[in-house]
């Protein structure tokens, strides 16, 4: 099992940048480079018993942040609006709760 885990780790390490930034795509003179956060996890175990040899598993997640766009006007980043909302809504809620408590404390 250890050899398989090491081989998976080496493969993920060597392909990490491609997984996060992807391959550039050129459409009508505009180059797009996708940007995402990628995380992998693998595990393996053994019980030491030959009848129950153990097991292994793995998984991964990718969160798209947006894309770098290079055209005649220059290079700029365009965020993924859905990801921005998913991250922003809890932040706005926490900030609102904190602000409400500050206002309540100042009224006393």
């Amino acid at each position: 099992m250890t050899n398989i885990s090491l081989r998976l780790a080496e493969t993920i390490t060597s392909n990490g940048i491609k997984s996060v930034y992807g391959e550039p795509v050129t459409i009508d003179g505009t180059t797009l480079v996708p940007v995402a956060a990628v995380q992998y996890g693998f595990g393996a175990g053994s019980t030491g018993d030959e009848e129950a040899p153990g097991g292994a598993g793995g998984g991964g997640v990718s969160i798209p942040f947006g894309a770098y766009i290079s055209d005649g006007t220059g290079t700029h980043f365009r965020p993924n609006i859905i990801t921005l909302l998913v991250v922003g809504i809890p932040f706005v809620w926490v900030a609102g709760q904190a602000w409400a408590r500050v206002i309540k404390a100042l009224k006393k």
Side-chain angles (χ1 to χ4, degrees), residues 10-89:
E10 289 171 1
T11 302
I12 297 304
T13 301
S14 65
N15 292 329
I17 296 298
K18 289 180 185 175
S19 297
V20 173
Y21 286 102
E23 295 292 331
V25 177
T26 303
I27 302 170
D28 295 332
T30 301
T31 303
L32 305 166
V33 181
V35 179
V38 179
Q39 182 177 3
Y40 299 99
F42 299 98
S46 176
T47 61
D49 184 8
E50 294 205 14
E51 291 182 16
V61 65
S62 175
I63 302 170
F65 288 134
Y68 283 106
I69 299 175
S70 180
D71 55 13
T73 62
T75 302
H76 51 279
F77 181 76
R78 297 284 307 260
N80 180 345
I81 300 300
I82 295 172
T83 303
L84 191 61
L85 288 172
V86 167
V87 171
I89 288 172

Side-chain angles (χ1 to χ4, degrees), residues 94-104:
V94 169
Q97 294 295 318
W99 189 246
R101 289 183 184 202
V102 167
I103 291 172
K104 187 176 180 180

